[in-house]
Amino acid sequence: MDQLRALKYFVKVVEHGSFSKAAELFSVPPSSLSRRVADLEQNLGATLLKRTTRAVSLTEIGQIYYQQVTEILSLLAYSDETVRSYQTTPMGVLNISSMVGFGERILLPLLDEFSELYPQITLNVSLSDNLTTLARDEVDLAIRGGYAPDERVIAIKLMQNNFIAVASQSYLEKYGTPVNAIELKQHKGLYFKTPNGPTPWICEIDNQWQDVSAEQVLISNNGKWLVNKAIAGAGILMMPRWALNPSLQSGELTELTINPTVQISQQANLGVYLLYQKQRYQVPKVKAAVDFLVSKIKETG
């Protein structure tokens, strides 16, 4: 148990960059916490932390050790929770992370229904388009668009995430309707901003991928605002079909048929994925949420 305590101290020192801040979290004297970490380094025969009067940082071997230790502590915590909650009613705090647009349009309304079914589960929902690491960020479930991630998690494809080009009738009447992908360069474009920047418009012409992006007149990570600007005639917008369906059905926006097909990635069949760590499925609250969301989203999608 002493080594386990030392590992927990070490991880918190790294996360907060300070012995004193880590000591506050554990309600122990900084000197006691520092001594425990020093004993850990002595037992290992390696220096894990570089200490200065202003900051604490990891050594090269410390970085490797930190990554491995955080995975071990996370797995241990999950194992403890699994044992405690085995064959019990789903309860406790459920941490969910979702990309913003999907969260606002699809996830949050479903979670209202989920809360009625499982009143003993407290939902902690974060909407962000930044990538989430399940173990590091203490997230039970994450919903992300793109491709199945190359990491040690379960990824269930909930629906397609293919982007389509749309515009309002007022825009098309004023600037014309593009038919050929190259014509898009003469138009005004509204761009969704991902953590990696605005999504370009590309297509394959003569076996080569070409950028056919329209002039950037608006860039934002707020999907609702971009849709409203497209409806107001500000430009052509490319977003996932699921995000545009209400505006297409109401007639406020029109889907454009453009050849060759315009995409935001050279790979087709983008998807929306539900991600979770395999061992977490044994925890009743996680199993209940996974089963509910997969059933409901696939049913409506």
Side-chain angles (χ1 to χ4, degrees), residues 1 18 37 124 126 128 132 136 197 261-262 272 290:
M1 295 302 290
S18 165
V37 175
N124 180 15
S126 298
S128 172
T132 297
R136 182 194 66 203
T261 302
V262 181
V272 175
V290 169

Side-chain angles (χ1 to χ4, degrees), residues 243-276:
L244 296 168
N245 269 336
S247 301
L248 292 172
Q249 293 170 1
S250 68
E252 293 174 300
L253 292 174
T254 299
E255 181 177 355
L256 304 180
T257 302
I258 299 173
N259 290 300
T261 302
V262 181
Q263 302 172 194
I264 63 161
S265 169
Q266 293 184 20
Q267 300 183 50
N269 299 319
L270 295 169
V272 175
Y273 289 89
L274 174 65
L275 312 176
Y276 63 92

Side-chain angles (χ1 to χ4, degrees), residues 167-282:
S168 68
Q169 281 300 318
S170 62
Y171 175 88
L172 297 176
E173 289 171 4
K174 184 174 182 180
Y175 295 100
T177 302
V179 176
N180 187 281
I182 296 297
E183 295 176 19
L184 290 173
K185 290 177 172 288
Q186 309 304 318
H187 283 264
K188 300 181 183 298
L190 313 179
Y191 290 83
F192 185 80
K193 183 180 180 181
T194 71
N196 295 322
T199 53
W201 303 353
I202 60 175
C203 70
E204 192 172 12
I205 301 175
D206 296 330
N207 297 319
Q208 289 189 334
W209 286 95
Q210 296 191 28
D211 189 328
V212 294
S213 300
E215 174 192 356
Q216 294 179 346
V217 294
L218 284 176
I219 302 170
S220 176
N221 64 351
N222 188 302
K224 283 185 176 179
W225 187 64
L226 288 173
V227 170
N228 288 336
K229 297 301 288 186
I231 291 172
I236 295 174
L237 172 65
M238 281 197 67
M239 283 183 65
R241 183 180 296 278
W242 57 260
L244 296 168
N245 269 336
S247 301
L248 292 172
Q249 293 170 1
S250 68
E252 293 174 300
L253 292 174
T254 299
E255 181 177 355
L256 304 180
T257 302
I258 299 173
N259 290 300
T261 302
V262 181
Q263 302 172 194
I264 63 161
S265 169
Q266 293 184 20
Q267 300 183 50
N269 299 319
L270 295 169
V272 175
Y273 289 89
L274 174 65
L275 312 176
Y276 63 92
Q277 292 181 302
K278 184 177 181 180
Q279 67 270 23
R280 295 292 284 159
Y281 189 71
Q282 303 304 318

Side-chain angles (χ1 to χ4, degrees), residues 6-27:
L7 292 178
K8 291 180 178 179
Y9 287 173
F10 166 68
V11 167
K12 288 304 177 185
V13 169
V14 174
E15 291 177 350
H16 293 275
S18 165
F19 282 93
S20 58
K21 290 181 180 178
E24 288 179 13
L25 292 172
F26 292 102
S27 299

Side-chain angles (χ1 to χ4, degrees), residues 12-205:
K12 288 304 177 185
V13 169
V14 174
E15 291 177 350
H16 293 275
S18 165
F19 282 93
S20 58
K21 290 181 180 178
E24 288 179 13
L25 292 172
F26 292 102
S27 299
V28 299
S31 59
S32 175
L33 184 143
S34 178
R35 187 167 57 253
R36 290 275 188 179
V37 175
D39 289 343
L40 175 64
E41 290 178 309
Q42 184 175 357
N43 290 337
L44 292 171
T47 301
L48 303 175
L49 297 169
K50 292 181 287 188
R51 301 160 172 83
T52 68
T53 56
R54 294 184 177 181
V56 179
S57 59
L58 286 165
T59 62
E60 184 177 356
I61 188 61
Q63 179 66 46
I64 296 172
Y65 191 68
Y66 170 73
Q67 291 174 348
Q68 294 177 342
V69 166
T70 52
E71 290 182 7
I72 292 171
L73 292 178
S74 177
L75 181 59
L76 181 60
Y78 292 161
S79 298
D80 289 347
E81 186 175 352
T82 299
V83 172
R84 294 190 189 101
S85 58
Y86 183 65
Q87 288 185 334
T88 62
T89 302
M91 63 178 62
V93 178
L94 181 68
N95 300 300
I96 302 176
S97 173
S98 172
M99 49 187 182
V100 178
F102 188 89
E104 292 175 341
R105 293 174 177 81
I106 297 177
L107 178 63
L108 295 183
L110 288 177
L111 290 181
D112 290 337
E113 183 179 347
F114 179 78
S115 292
E116 292 180 4
L117 293 173
Y118 299 100
Q120 295 187 62
I121 293 179
T122 300
L123 296 174
N124 180 15
V125 183
S126 298
L127 301 185
S128 172
D129 291 314
N130 292 321
L131 295 179
T132 297
T133 301
L134 297 180
R136 182 194 66 203
D137 298 329
E138 298 182 353
V139 170
D140 296 305
L141 305 175
I143 296 178
R144 288 291 175 265
Y147 305 98
D150 183 19
E151 56 179 302
R152 289 172 290 179
V153 299
I154 301 298
I156 300 176
K157 189 173 184 178
L158 299 175
M159 62 171 61
Q160 294 294 104
N161 196 41
N162 294 331
F163 280 55
I164 61 173
V166 298
S168 68
Q169 281 300 318
S170 62
Y171 175 88
L172 297 176
E173 289 171 4
K174 184 174 182 180
Y175 295 100
T177 302
V179 176
N180 187 281
I182 296 297
E183 295 176 19
L184 290 173
K185 290 177 172 288
Q186 309 304 318
H187 283 264
K188 300 181 183 298
L190 313 179
Y191 290 83
F192 185 80
K193 183 180 180 181
T194 71
N196 295 322
T199 53
W201 303 353
I202 60 175
C203 70
E204 192 172 12
I205 301 175

